[in-house]
Amino acid sequence: MIRPQNGGNIRLTAFYLGNVGWEISEEMDERILLFLHPPKTGGSSLIKNIYDQYASPNSGTLPDQLYHDGVLYYPGEGFFVDACSEIPESVFEVLKRDDLKCVVGHFCYGIHRIIPRVTTYATILRHPLDRVSSLYRHLYKDRSLSIRQFVEKEPWPGVDNDQTRRIAGGIHLTGSCTDETLEVAKENLTKRFEVVGTTENMAVTLESFRKTYRWKNEVYSYLSGHDPDGDQFELDDISKEIIMKKNEFDERLYSFAISSRS
């Protein structure tokens, strides 16, 4: 059962469950959950639930590595960290710990290769218009830069098909994404991601996590319909066009995930 926090409203619509062919079994809890969280997709709501389900006082805690009660948050420094290249040795050692239960954060596909145990990926996608505008409001609360300037001039890949890049495993981390990048991301979603939710359908996404991973505790929606990144505003047609042009592959990946549920 999903309960909204702080009086929030829940919208029940649909979600996409990856076609990986795995069966729910009593061994499900032993797998390491890898929650790949693209920035500004509403994943913080999921992360709060993940901590509630997996954190255990019997597991270790290394505050310097953001490892608490068996849950590793990686990377922890923010959106601008390159989490798709070389992983620090200190994190490498945490990923090999016997008491590791899950990894959450803005990392890229491929981290499972380091973990010497069975893993399962999950993620959440968001329509690029909403994701990029939310990212802009988060980073430029003072509006010192217009959203057009932000999208056109920002050198960081976060405004340019970031979801596709991360799920493809960080290939083409800089420069233009290609059809190859998209095809790799789609293949990873289909073969390796057991749950692929959407921000727009958060309540059902949470329920999908609960059922798929046999969570014991209740799950809560922390989204209330209010954007914490600031005031809502209408994007003009030119801004929409700029965002969509720069995030063509993210839009195609999002549409693929939605259509694949049927």
Side-chain angles (χ1 to χ4, degrees), residues 203-242:
V204 181
T205 295
L206 285 167
E207 185 67 7
S208 177
F209 271 79
R210 186 188 68 80
K211 289 182 178 179
T212 301
Y213 298 118
R214 298 188 303 109
W215 286 354
K216 306 301 183 183
N217 300 325
E218 289 185 288
V219 293
Y220 295 87
S221 175
Y222 293 88
L223 300 181
S224 64
H226 170 69
D227 194 326
D229 294 322
D231 57 294
Q232 299 287 339
F233 67 94
E234 290 291 331
L235 288 172
D236 61 85
D237 290 340
I238 295 177
S239 296
K240 290 179 181 179
E241 182 179 351
I242 292 171

Side-chain angles (χ1 to χ4, degrees), residues 40 126 133-141 143 226-231:
K40 307 315 298 177
R126 188 175 187 180
S133 60
S134 179
L135 182 63
Y136 163 72
R137 292 195 300 274
H138 178 82
L139 297 176
Y140 289 94
K141 291 182 172 65
R143 305 297 189 265
H226 170 69
D227 194 326
D229 294 322
D231 57 294

